[in-house]
Amino acid sequence: VFLQTAGRDAAKDPYYRDLVRVNIDTGELVALAESNHDIEGYSTQSTVTNEWEGFNLNGVSPTGNYAVVTLSRVDTVPVTYLLDRQGERVMTIEEADISRLPKGFQWPEPVKTLSADGKTAIYGVVYRPSDFSDDKNYPVVSQVQNNSQTTFASKSAFNVHQFTTFSAAAIAELGFIVVQFDGRGTPWRSKAFQDESYGDVYAVKGLSDHVAGIQQLAERYPYLDLGRVGIVSEMYGNGASWGMLKHPDFYKVGVEARVTDLRMMQASYSDQYTGPTGITNNLEQLAGNLQGKLLLPVPFTTAPDTYGLSPVGEIILAGAFAKANKDIDLLHDPSRGWGVSTYHIRRCWDYLVRYLQGNVPPDNFILNGTALWDPGLVEQANAALDADLSRY
């Protein structure tokens, strides 16, 4: 049996995977590919519609005699190679071409800090702009997707399955230091680690770990301005809203991807993490805590989907802010569907530049391209995935 494991070496980042072969009769384990990097396998099911777990890819040939893997880390050039069943490298298939990276490109930095309990190791990534200088003073953006279902901090370089790398690097180019962490309450570490979010699934205690981690990084890197810390949520999880309301003295500006109402989601995304008491800590109960600037984009969907991405969540929360006499900003872009649009992305960037940097963004800047979660692109990717799977 070929498996991917992680966390067997205490000296490494516990999220870095390897590829091993296990004898099902004797239990003997042979490591085929292991390093202080992430080892990613590939298969025909690897598509952009499944960014993280995918289909538990292993990249092993049907005969079990060969495997294709990519060795990578956020601060190293990815290398893809072919190995045999003994773990010997047969050939290098490809090394990423970095000749077109922008001048002054700053490799992201994998970092390790302690959680808010002062004893649990927390792992993350720091992104810097290409014109970075440690003589300057930079506002900090905490990029989060705080939920119990998946990790968020990137582990490999230029990986489309971890699109957060590109999003974080883009925000950093605007003149910010961007920080990602996977705090307590998230998966892939241990049951005790993930159980930190059980019964408190909305908040996922990793937010306190984000605050603690950034404070520790500021001691390490004095150019981080703790007086100007913002928070950006990606995908769902209400991270920006929770940050602004749970830590109002720390986070000054928040940009939310969307407000997810777990009461409208399928059980596998809500009930299994909420505990016997049900969903608690509703955001609207904390609306009076708001002190800084908060932008809530409103998704335009006719009905809630699997992820509960209906405008209802934003409407309920906006009503709570109104009742608490708190000012917020709402961004309604009907063209974005349940995903995002380039207009939405540009407005979010402008918000950070204006209120966290104190600068004036360019008027009506045109951001070309197609966002990853553009509704049309998602439909095309899903159609390609269905066609691919029909062959098996």
Side-chain angles (χ1 to χ4, degrees), residues 1-119:
V1 178
F2 293 85
L3 304 171
Q4 283 204 272
T5 72
R8 291 191 299 112
D9 186 345
K12 298 178 183 177
D13 183 321
Y15 299 95
Y16 289 161
R17 299 166 294 173
D18 55 27
L19 179 64
V20 302
R21 174 167 51 84
V22 179
N23 187 306
I24 60 176
D25 295 319
T26 66
E28 178 189 12
L29 183 150
V30 177
L32 303 178
E34 59 180 352
S35 176
N36 191 27
H37 300 75
D38 187 50
I39 305 293
E40 182 172 15
Y42 289 93
S43 75
T44 53
Q45 291 94 339
S46 178
T47 72
V48 297
T49 59
N50 295 274
E51 302 77 37
W52 292 283
E53 299 91 346
F55 290 88
N56 296 320
L57 312 179
N58 55 42
V60 178
S61 68
T63 64
N65 291 326
Y66 299 97
V68 175
V69 297
T70 295
L71 181 150
S72 184
R73 200 171 59 202
V74 294
D75 58 347
T76 62
V77 178
V79 178
T80 300
Y81 58 90
L82 179 72
L83 52 81
D84 62 23
R85 64 181 292 111
Q86 305 304 321
E88 296 295 328
R89 293 196 187 190
V90 177
M91 63 178 293
T92 297
I93 297 176
E94 184 179 35
E95 181 173 333
D97 179 4
I98 62 171
S99 62
R100 295 178 63 186
L101 287 178
K103 181 180 179 181
F105 174 75
Q106 298 285 318
W107 286 94
E109 179 190 5
V111 293
K112 176 182 177 182
T113 61
L114 290 179
S115 69
D117 66 7
K119 58 183 180 181

Side-chain angles (χ1 to χ4, degrees), residues 247-259:
H247 307 278
D249 294 330
F250 186 76
Y251 291 115
K252 303 302 190 295
V253 178
V255 175
E256 191 71 82
R258 60 181 60 85
V259 176

Side-chain angles (χ1 to χ4, degrees), residues 9 74 110 133-134 308 337 380 391:
D9 186 345
V74 294
S133 170
D134 56 13
Q380 296 175 28
R391 298 188 290 126

Side-chain angles (χ1 to χ4, degrees), residues 47-50 372 375-388:
T47 72
V48 297
T49 59
N50 295 274
L372 175 62
L377 184 64
V378 171
E379 291 178 4
Q380 296 175 28
N382 285 337
L385 174 63
D386 291 339
D388 194 40

Side-chain angles (χ1 to χ4, degrees), residues 201-222:
V201 64
Y202 259 127
V204 185
K205 292 181 181 177
L207 276 181
S208 61
D209 295 340
H210 286 238
V211 173
I214 292 173
Q215 290 172 335
Q216 293 168 50
L217 289 176
E219 296 177 359
R220 195 180 306 175
Y221 304 121

